[in-house]
Amino acid sequence: MRPVVPFVSSASPDERQAWREALPQALDGIADVKPFEDLTDDERTAARVAIVANPDPANVAALPNLIWVQSLWAGVERLMGELPADGPKIVRLTDPQMAETMSEAVLAWTLYLHRGMPRYVAQQRQKIWQDHELKRPQERTVGILGLGKLGAAAALRMKANSFNVLGWSRTEKSIDGIACRHGRDGLLEVLGKSDFIVLLMPLTDETRGLLGRGELSACKKGSSIINFARGPIIDKAALLDALDQGPLGHAVLDVFDVEPLPPSSRLWDHAKVTVLPHISAPTIISTASGIVAGNIGRYFEDGTIPPAVDRDRGY
Ligand code: NAP
């Protein structure tokens, strides 16, 4: 008999429905994927692995013999906060397609800033016909904070598009063609030299509020920030001050402390802020289902569990 893999999710009904169609197809011949609500008591007890997407933690707890969970998202700070430390191992989604999609977003929004689009949009509203000096990518530096699966791909893509690239990570890194920095001094150097600063790191105890008043005031005059990571990594009051009084020229924000961004937020109407509804790199169901099927197939074949999140490190 084929094993049953629970699908535990409190995502939106549309999202759940899409996964309920894609996952059984991808895992065909490997396991039967069943929504948590449809499991029998025996199936709950027998489950060793579950697929999760914004799960109700009580439902995960109702699977007493789980060894690991496969998340359908790349960011796992919520799961880490909600599942007990001695609970199942957490495996996040790492999909090369997501790195490709994210690096495309980094390129798109860096070019948006590099070509001065916010200024030209504002000029059009005021019917102002005025050109501004055009710099070449070779004269611009992109700073990428976080050099993991997504950051490294974005750094290489920016390099391939002729930008200078500075990268920053927690531990020392070496990536061909990218000047890599780490540590506090490294962060201040990257902030001070970059025209465009791209955030691609996880939300952890260490990165929460990482960019506060001191860090933002160390940014290069007129530079811009692109946050594709998590909202709470930037201190919002400090960001607004850095936009209103300098040194920041613009912020492209895809992620927020509260999502959807409440209508009362000042960020919506700020002339120097571009608000995006968390769209820089959505999980692509077709490729992600294939990755999940591969991981679960290997587990049932030889017991291999993919690399799990390090609870102490926070990612
Ligand atoms: P990853 O492979 O785990 O890489 C994380 C990177 O961040 C690593 O380079 C890591 O340093 C660095 N880092 C972690 N803590 C740090 C710290 N305290 N100081 C400096 N650097 C630190 O993660 P990923 O797959 O690239 O994803 C990154 C994040 O992107 C996710 O956690 C998620 O929040 C976000 N994301 C957003 C979207 C969206 O649509 N907006 C989509 C997907 C993901 P080391 O290399 O030294 O370990």
Side-chain angles (χ1 to χ4, degrees):
M1 225 173 63
R2 280 198 304 199
V4 170
V5 175
F7 172 50
V8 192
S9 175
S10 309
S12 72
D14 282 356
E15 226 169 343
R16 263 184 294 166
Q17 188 50 37
W19 286 109
R20 281 180 185 186
E21 285 166 20
L23 289 169
Q25 273 180 34
L27 275 94
D28 190 29
I30 299 170
D32 288 330
V33 181
K34 252 185 155 182
F36 173 83
E37 299 72 23
D38 299 345
L39 296 172
T40 64
D41 286 347
D42 284 351
E43 286 167 343
R44 287 186 185 198
T45 311
R48 297 291 183 273
V49 52
I51 301 169
V52 300
N54 300 353
D56 178 341
N59 292 349
V60 179
L63 304 170
N65 296 310
L66 269 191
I67 296 172
W68 62 291
V69 295
Q70 168 72 64
S71 173
L72 297 178
W73 316 142
V76 286
E77 71 281 351
R78 179 171 162 183
L79 265 185
M80 292 227 295
E82 291 181 348
L83 300 190
D86 61 355
K89 290 176 192 291
I90 299 170
V91 173
R92 69 191 191 99
L93 179 71
T94 53
D95 181 351
Q97 176 59 56
M98 183 176 278
E100 181 72 19
T101 307
M102 182 58 94
S103 66
E104 180 185 85
V106 172
L107 176 62
W109 292 100
T110 302
L111 288 177
Y112 175 83
L113 296 166
H114 166 61
R115 296 302 302 249
M117 305 273 203
R119 193 184 220 178
Y120 288 118
V121 168
Q123 283 187 191
Q124 181 180 347
R125 292 213 182 95
Q126 296 171 62
K127 302 184 180 158
I128 296 173
W129 183 277
Q130 171 72 59
D131 64 337
H132 299 280
E133 183 199 0
L134 178 62
K135 289 199 172 176
R136 297 176 307 137
Q138 290 87 342
E139 298 170 82
R140 306 277 213 175
T141 297
V142 183
I144 311 253
L145 307 186
L147 292 172
K149 296 272 189 298
L150 306 184
L156 292 171
R157 190 139 182 182
M158 298 315 297
K159 189 81 197 165
N161 280 270
S162 307
F163 287 94
N164 301 300
V165 183
L166 272 173
W168 186 72
S169 53
R170 192 176 59 85
T171 57
E172 202 171 341
K173 283 251 142 18
S174 158
I175 303 173
D176 245 4
I178 311 297
C180 296
R181 303 285 185 267
H182 66 285
R184 176 79 188 163
D185 290 349
L187 175 63
L188 295 179
E189 181 190 340
V190 174
L191 295 177
K193 288 184 175 166
S194 299
D195 298 287
F196 312 109
I197 299 149
V198 182
L199 271 68
L200 277 174
M201 57 180 42
L203 178 62
T204 67
D205 289 346
E206 267 184 46
T207 64
R208 186 177 294 276
L210 179 83
L211 297 190
R213 254 165 237 289
E215 293 73 20
L216 293 175
S217 61
C219 289
K220 186 172 171 179
K221 190 167 180 292
S223 62
S224 301
I225 283 199
I226 300 176
N227 190 2
F228 285 163
R230 287 293 182 262
I233 297 174
I234 307 182
D235 175 332
K236 248 17 109 287
L239 175 69
L240 285 166
D241 283 352
L243 288 165
D244 290 339
Q245 291 149 34
L248 288 185
H250 199 86
V252 173
L253 305 176
D254 184 45
V255 285
F256 301 89
D257 298 7
V258 178
E259 295 181 10
L261 182 64
S264 60
S265 171
R266 260 193 73 196
L267 295 168
W268 280 114
D269 300 315
H270 199 291
K272 293 181 174 176
V273 175
T274 299
V275 171
L276 301 173
H278 202 138
I279 44 78
S280 53
T283 298
I284 308 244
I285 291 184
S286 55
T287 57
S289 303
I291 303 274
V292 169
N295 286 348
I296 292 178
R298 268 186 300 282
Y299 173 67
F300 285 131
E301 215 171 274
D302 61 14
T304 306
I305 300 176
V309 171
D310 178 332
R311 288 260 184 185
D312 294 332
R313 205 177 59 163
Y315 66 100

